[in-house]
């Protein structure tokens, strides 16, 4: 696959201003194609209205586009029904909502909740705090030497006290991928519900929630070429129906009386207030963009770039690649002997090369690896081999500067 | 290597990062100051021995980027012999050096090249928290609230 | 003030397509000026990056713009510090967060929470549900015949059991305005906290949270010429510091250990996850737009249109104006004898005139007035007198059609 | 007045809205069906008397827009004499009339002009919940699944 740089206006704009811009930070957030930007401006400039109740043409059109976006998501994750697709403001918001509305009301002291050592803080702290609040136990499943969830340890930990298992599909720090299907099967066998953090999975493989059989799955649009402020919670219909509303307000009620309120049906029940309509429409356009290329194609492109990077960086002495063998990933973390990740990132930034240095919101993982920080590269459809060669040259320069 | 960047990592800073002043623990000390930046994982322990109101010894241990390490090293070196009032002025001046809206020319603040080198951080606001890490921790310890 | 229609591209675009578009539904959501749309596309197409931790230029620029937006809000509401400004996904989200993080942890059985009869469901149901959950009492303060909160009734209801008072500044159905300063003073006298729903206040008068002395104040960007999916919670610093975090995840932590987590300082503490960066930047641009005209000017323009509407509609027999005397409002509800609001709205929509028909998410208010629904007009800077004349003509036609 | 709109409020519908069929309560009835649309506040009570498996009487009370009122009135009128199986077919056909993706031409569904008039709602998806309000409530009552 050719690089799709030309579809992303930021690169041409940077060039026009005489700035180099090589973007290796897509795991934090992807750049936006023109089609996504256009979808948003067309809404704001062409048919802007609130959704839900207006009888005039922009309201109808906005409501239609909002519904279409939901249906694109339904198709994208393979959900049975659009009722199973709840718009949130992002992954973090979605996870907090499940923790509050699904787990907390039934969690009791001595119950257990499982997460893994590789979780992003957003899929760690909400469960930890819920456990603290209720006196329940948070169990952190360790990783194998290949940096994936240790299934033997998971099996050994699962028992009937485990109410919930929250795991990421792909490590945002290392790129390694867990076997979600098996984890779900094991968890269901003891009656636990499973939430899958798919933030880094959406561009790595075609998601099929029915095959995965997970109870909840979440991701953010902004990592998928979509806008900020919008994310998805997929949930099995029966579970979403059973849960108390995620929040309360306009749009999610049926009848409001002084003493009680009855609630609307799914998905409205869990979406109080004016939604992020532009966000949903932008996400719809982002999914169209992804589908027009194909998730498998994107994943292949990214993995090839990672392989090439592994090849080149291994030629630099003192570079230490982490989870080097995670072959089909789009993320690659490394350190360099004697040079701190932040110094590396600052040097690269001065050359217009964007990477991330730090703990990547995975302090428990870094602690387990005995590292204070890494440099993280993450690849996407606008990257190419030449950029990786430039990265290599820059790293060699850094080495000799600090050497 | 851009000019801006060379400024940031001026020989002064690299020198301190690579050959820091008094790295190690003190045998006897009156203050142990823990400086930690959770955002990047940088972590330093600063040991200070104050006798008769004056700093007679200072050292540090820890791990961090070149900027944070050098700035900790420079701190340990320069507070030697100072009393609390002098430290207050000294730290305030250093923070002015880092402030993008701080005084110009730098000579208004200091004539010490080792300190002045850190003014390059004015161009790198993201690295501010590296350059002032140990300094803010010191202020917190010596001048609570 | 002249109509500012030309700054809002939707009107020119509608005209290009040969559609009439007269928009009287700004209380639901305002249209967007070009400057707001541009701020969003410039971000996505010019310096897109996540905020917070990137060391490269788009990350720096995005973080700066995000911080600038917060400071514009701080100035817009007169807060002491930008730490008191929390970005949320909207008013509804903000209210739910205060109910969950401020009220619920301290609410006890037999405590009381006060709301008014004119509240939007978003400022009613969250408090009601919190009370139900804890066995506390929700008291609904009635309105005077002038359709504002009855201060005598409020005074009579306030007592030391009242922990929280949640009131709207302006009725989104009638346009009537409450005396917030007095309400806050009365509530504080019994030790209750006060949240002000300022959704409809932002374009009605210059807000000064320090003068109002309210504890919390919230509004949505989309009613203020800004984007969807972003809103503001102002809170007094000490209260925001005391509150448990609104949600948990990336960006709001200091140290994450297996057993406990320490949290970042304000405002990060209450903003977990990747924020709606484009939304915040768009809101900043919207505030610039408002400031360039002046809130007082906007309010005057809108009130003048309302006065003219009252004058014209009173000439149609069978039209019944509600809260006709709320002189400085930008909202006007009415009914027509023998013709249902939805039929009126459909007729107007066919003529390209956008109004809202229904309960406007204020079922308790409509119930108290004995009305199932009203037609609501709301005015903004892109409206002019000629449009109101067209409305009048249309209403006369409707009357004769159904007559 | 646009053509589309005239279609929607065709004389058939206005006639029923202004002079509804059998408005009022029944003295004796086997089913009282409460149809309520919280979004717009429309509210109808539909009274039906089924004797020997057939509807022998139907009436309604309530308040709503022209569309919902007329559709309730038409429903009350047209289910007279039908048994449950016939009602099921009748309602299904009516819902097809309202469906924007429903059969064309309408004559495939019905030849009754009074019913056909509601097909104009195909152009007004926001008003669908008015047109089918009483009908869906009836289905829920007679065919709980
Ligand atoms: C008075 C009032 N409160 C609350 C809201 C809810 O705002 P949002 O839907 O943006 O959360 C609205 C607008 O719908 C309103 O007018
Ligand atoms: C694996 C993983 N989980 C959760 C998140 C949080 O997503 P967001 O910040 O969009 O809520 C991220 C991204 O930052 C992530 O990579």
């Amino acid at each position: 696959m050719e690089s799709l740089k030309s579809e992303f206006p930021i690169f041409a704009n940077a060039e026009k201003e005489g700035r180099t811009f090589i973007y290796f930070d897509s795991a934090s957030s992807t750049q936006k194609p023109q089609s996504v930007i256009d979808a948003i401006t067309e809404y704001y400039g062409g048919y802007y209205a609130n959704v839900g109740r207006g009888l005039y043409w922009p309201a109808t059109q906005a409501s239609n586009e909002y519904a279409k976006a939901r249906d694109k998501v339904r198709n994208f994750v393979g959900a049975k029904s659009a009722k199973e697709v709840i718009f949130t403001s992002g992954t973090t918001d979605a996870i907090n909502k499940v923790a509050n509305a699904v787990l907390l009301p039934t969690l009791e002291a001595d119950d257990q909740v499982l997460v893994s050592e590789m979780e992003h803080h957003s899929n760690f702290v909400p469960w930890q705090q819920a456990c603290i609040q209720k006196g329940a136990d948070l169990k952190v499943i360790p990783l194998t030497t290949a940096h994936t969830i240790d299934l033997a340890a998971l099996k050994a930990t699962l028992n009937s006290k485990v109410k919930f298992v929250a795991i990421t599909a792909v490590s945002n720090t290392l790129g390694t991928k867990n076997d979600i299907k098996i984890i779900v099967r094991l968890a269901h066998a003891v009656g636990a519900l499973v939430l899958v953090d798919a933030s880094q999975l959406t561009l790595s493989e075609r998601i099929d929630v029915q095959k995965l059989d997970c109870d909840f799955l979440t991701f953010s649009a902004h990592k998928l070429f979509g806008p900020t402020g919008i994310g998805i919670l997929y949930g099995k219909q029966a579970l979403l129906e059973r849960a108390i509303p995620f929040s309360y307000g306009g749009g999610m009620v049926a009848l409001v009386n002084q003493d009680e309120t009855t609630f609307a049906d799914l998905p409205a029940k869990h979406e109080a207030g004016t939604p992020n309509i532009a966000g949903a429409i932008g996400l719809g356009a982002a999914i169209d963009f992804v589908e027009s290329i194909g998730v498998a194609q994107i994943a292949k492109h990214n993995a090839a770039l990672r392989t090439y990077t592994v090849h080149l960086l291994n030629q630099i002495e003192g570079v230490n690649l982490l989870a080097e063998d995670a072959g089909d990933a789009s993320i690659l973390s490394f350190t360099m002997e004697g040079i701190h990740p932040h110094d590396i990132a600052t040097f690269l930034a001065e050359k217009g090369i964007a990477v991330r240095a730090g703990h990547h919101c995975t302090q428990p993982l870094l602690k387990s690896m005995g590292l204070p920080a890494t440099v993280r590269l993450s690849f996407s459809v606008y990257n190419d081999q030449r950029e990786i060669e430039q990265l290599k040259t820059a790293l060699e320069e850094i080495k000799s500067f600090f050497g | 290597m851009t000019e801006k960047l060379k400024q940031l990592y001026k020989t002064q800073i690299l020198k301190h990062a690579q050959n820091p002043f008094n790295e190690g623990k003190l045998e006897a000390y009156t203050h142990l100051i823990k400086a930690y930046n959770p955002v990047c994982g940088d972590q330093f322990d600063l040991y200070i021995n104050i006798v008769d109101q004056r700093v007679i010894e200072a050292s540090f241990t820890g791990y961090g980027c070149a900027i944070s390490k050098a700035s900790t090293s420079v701190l340990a070196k320069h507070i030697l012999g100072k009393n609390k009032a002098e430290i207050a002025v000294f730290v305030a001046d250093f923070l002015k050096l880092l402030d993008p809206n701080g005084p110009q020319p730098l000579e208004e603040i200091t004539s010490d090249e080792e300190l002045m080198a850190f003014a390059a951080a004015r161009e790198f606001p993201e690295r501010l928290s590296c350059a002032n890490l140990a300094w803010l921790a010191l202020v917190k310890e010596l001048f609570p609230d």
Side-chain angles (χ1 to χ4, degrees), chain B residues 65-135:
Chain B
C65 64
I67 313 290
S68 64
K69 193 164 186 179
S71 97
T72 307
S73 168
V74 164
L75 173 60
K77 179 174 166 192
H78 283 261
I79 56 169
L80 276 183
K82 292 197 165 54
N83 67 19
K84 264 180 134 187
E86 288 161 355
I87 290 173
V89 173
F90 173 63
V91 172
D93 278 348
F94 186 76
L95 296 179
K96 270 186 223 153
L97 276 176
L98 303 180
D99 182 356
N101 303 315
Q104 276 288 16
L106 303 174
E107 283 73 12
E108 284 185 20
I109 308 175
T110 182
S111 57
D112 185 320
E113 293 226 330
E114 218 164 61
L115 297 172
M116 231 191 264
F118 286 90
R122 287 183 178 185
E123 304 276 334
F124 292 83
E126 312 79 13
R127 303 302 300 276
L128 177 65
S129 62
C130 312
N132 67 18
L133 179 59
W135 300 69

Side-chain angles (χ1 to χ4, degrees), chain A residues 338-392:
Chain A
I339 313 177
H340 191 281
H342 275 90
D343 293 321
I344 298 172
T346 296
F347 266 79
L348 292 176
E350 276 298 293
K351 297 196 163 294
I353 303 177
V355 304
R356 192 144 291 240
H359 52 56
H360 321 298
C361 294
T362 56
Q363 289 180 21
L365 174 63
L366 288 218
K367 206 170 295 167
S368 81
M369 300 197 301
L371 290 172
T374 77
V375 180
R376 183 184 68 183
L377 308 167
S378 47
F379 307 107
S380 194
V381 296
Y382 28 72
N383 296 125
D384 60 32
Q385 294 203 343
R386 210 178 40 82
E387 293 178 337
I388 293 165
E389 289 150 14
Q390 287 173 266
L391 170 74
K392 187 195 173 200

Side-chain angles (χ1 to χ4, degrees), chain A residues 53-56 60 254-255:
Chain A
R53 270 171 295 270
L55 300 175
Y56 46 88
T60 307
L255 268 177

